[in-house]
């Protein structure tokens, strides 16, 4: 599709719904730092498709790498406390 990886970390936030308006499928690469007991979730078109959490040491880095269909919506959010922090958010668009 002639797509390239774009670093969109500075323009993405937790618990915000984004729409793939490119007319093509895109791929995400989202990495987040998580504290012990915390968890992050991924919604695609309003459906929970993945959750990752940790009961181990603070500062673990986890992530999601899904394909988002054309016109699809997506959101990364904090499932429970303690907080998660977005480290990187790249999109192949």
């Amino acid at each position: 599709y002639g797509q390239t990886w774009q670093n969109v970390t500075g323009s993405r936030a937790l618990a915000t719904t984004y729409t793939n308006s490119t007319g093509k499928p895109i791929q995400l690469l989202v990495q987040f730092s998580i504290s012990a007991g915390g968890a992050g979730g991924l919604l695609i078109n309003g459906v929970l498709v993945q959750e990752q959490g940790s009961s181990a040491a603070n500062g673990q880095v986890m992530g999601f790498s899904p394909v988002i269909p054309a016109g699809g919506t997506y959101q990364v959010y904090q499932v429970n406390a303690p907080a998660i922090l977005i480290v990187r958010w790249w999109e192949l668009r």
Side-chain angles (χ1 to χ4, degrees):
Y1 290 114
Q3 296 160 302
T4 59
W5 283 105
Q6 297 179 28
N7 183 346
V8 294
T9 306
S11 63
R12 295 292 186 258
L14 291 172
T16 302
T17 300
Y18 298 99
T19 301
N20 173 9
S21 58
T22 66
K24 307 170 190 173
I26 64 171
Q27 184 171 1
L28 305 184
L29 175 56
V30 180
Q31 293 179 308
F32 54 92
S33 175
I34 192 164
S35 299
L42 171 66
L43 296 173
I44 298 177
N45 292 330
V47 176
L48 176 63
V49 296
Q50 192 172 2
E51 260 184 26
Q52 288 195 22
S54 173
S55 60
N58 291 339
Q60 250 185 328
V61 176
M62 299 183 170
F64 304 123
S65 187
V67 172
I68 309 300
T73 61
Y74 52 103
Q75 179 187 118
V76 175
Y77 66 99
Q78 181 175 316
V79 174
N80 60 353
I84 66 173
L85 174 67
I86 297 295
V87 176
R88 290 181 186 84
W89 190 315
W90 287 73
E91 297 184 0
L92 181 64
R93 27 177 64 249

